[in-house]
């Protein structure tokens, strides 16, 4: 059974940085695409970034491009979302999700991912 646990969220000031981790159990990262999503209060969940199961493809939402990067550590079975130059609009609950032998489409649709974590809160103060 695939289980995902996010960590690394917290409160940070405008312009600060955080690194989120998505740790998986019950699955091999090398065989799964992983996506990061976020949901702000009163808003729909949106795709932030993804990396394909091969690691060859990545995608980023326009609002985070140039500020966020995604990477993975196969040995630790962890996917990271490095978030730099954070803004108050980045405040949200961040979720990671995984899909067996999945790709990474530019639109980062939720439907591409089957297994989901519980989320971690990121708050950015102005």
């Amino acid at each position: 059974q695939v289980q995902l646990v996010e960590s690394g969220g917290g409160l940070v000031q405008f312009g600060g940085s955080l690194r989120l981790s998505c740790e998986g159990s019950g699955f091999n990262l090398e065989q799964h695409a992983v996506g990061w999503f976020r949901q702000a209060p009163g808003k729909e969940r949106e795709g932030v970034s993804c990396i394909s199961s091969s690691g060859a493809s990545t995608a980023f939402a326009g609002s985070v491009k140039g500020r966020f990067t995604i990477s993975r550590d196969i040995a630790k079975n962890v996917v990271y979302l490095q978030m730099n130059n954070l803004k108050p609009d980045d405040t949200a609950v961040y979720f990671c999700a995984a899909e067996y032998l999945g790709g990474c489409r530019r639109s980062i649709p939720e439907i591409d991912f089957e297994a989901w974590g519980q989320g971690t809160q990121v708050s950015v103060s102005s």
Side-chain angles (χ1 to χ4, degrees):
Q1 182 180 358
V2 174
Q3 291 186 320
L4 302 168
V5 178
E6 303 93 338
S7 63
L11 175 63
V12 65
Q13 288 187 332
F14 181 93
S17 298
L18 284 174
R19 188 178 75 166
L20 303 184
S21 299
C22 175
E23 186 168 357
S25 63
F27 75 102
N28 187 338
L29 252 186
E30 288 183 283
Q31 296 180 317
H32 286 74
V34 173
W36 282 98
F37 297 81
R38 67 185 181 186
Q39 187 166 23
K43 296 186 178 181
E44 293 187 354
R45 190 158 57 186
E46 63 172 347
V48 175
S49 181
C50 61
I51 183 167
S52 62
S53 57
S54 69
S57 299
T58 60
F60 296 90
S63 59
V64 307
K65 199 169 292 184
R67 300 188 296 123
F68 291 13
T69 58
I70 189 169
S71 62
R72 62 185 193 176
D73 187 328
I74 298 297
K76 294 182 179 180
N77 220 37
V78 178
V79 172
Y80 301 104
L81 183 69
Q82 178 67 44
M83 308 186 296
N84 299 326
N85 193 19
L86 283 162
K87 306 174 182 180
D89 284 350
D90 295 316
T91 295
V93 177
Y94 283 71
F95 302 87
C96 67
E99 179 68 17
Y100 180 65
L101 296 181
C104 174
R105 292 197 280 169
R106 186 159 37 180
S107 58
I108 319 173
E110 289 188 37
I111 196 172
D112 283 0
F113 298 89
E114 185 174 274
W116 290 77
Q118 294 299 306
T120 185
Q121 175 71 46
V122 171
S123 300
V124 185
S125 63
S126 57

